[in-house]
Amino acid sequence: MDVHRIPASGIVPAHWHYDIRYLLLASEYEPLQYCEREALDVRWFPLSQLPQVSTDRSLHRMAHKIVSRATDMRCLSAKATIVDS
C-alpha cells in the first residue's frame, strides 16, 4: 500500500490517498488477461524497465520495497515484473 497526501484542489480539501498494489508471480509464458472495462493500460514489464515505463514516484517506492524485501527473503528473480494499471 502506498499512502500519500493529495493537495487541496478547488473545492476538494487536501486528503490522504491510498494506492493498493499487488505483486503477482506468474509464468512469463502465460499471456496477460484482463477485462478492458476495468483497466485502460495494463501490461507486464520487467522491473528493470520501470524507469523507462513510468516516472510515478509511488511506483518507484513500491519497486524499492519489493526489491529490498524480496532480496531479504531471496525470492525475487531477475525477471520480476510489475503490472501497471
Side-chain angles (χ1 to χ4, degrees), residues 22-33:
Y22 301 92
L23 171 64
L24 305 173
L25 300 176
S27 168
E28 63 185 291
Y29 304 107
E30 291 294 324
L32 174 64
Q33 296 181 9

Side-chain angles (χ1 to χ4, degrees), residues 38-68:
E38 296 177 3
L40 300 175
D41 183 17
V42 177
R43 60 203 147 157
W44 291 112
F45 59 88
L47 194 55
S48 62
Q49 290 180 5
L50 180 60
Q52 293 81 34
V53 172
S54 177
T55 58
D56 182 335
R57 291 186 303 178
S58 67
L59 275 178
H60 289 265
R61 284 192 302 271
M62 179 190 71
H64 177 75
K65 290 176 185 178
I66 289 169
V67 170
S68 64

Side-chain angles (χ1 to χ4, degrees), residues 2-3 9 13 17 27 30 39 44 63 66 70-71:
D2 183 69
V3 181
S9 177
H17 180 81
S27 168
E30 291 294 324
W44 291 112
I66 289 169
T71 301

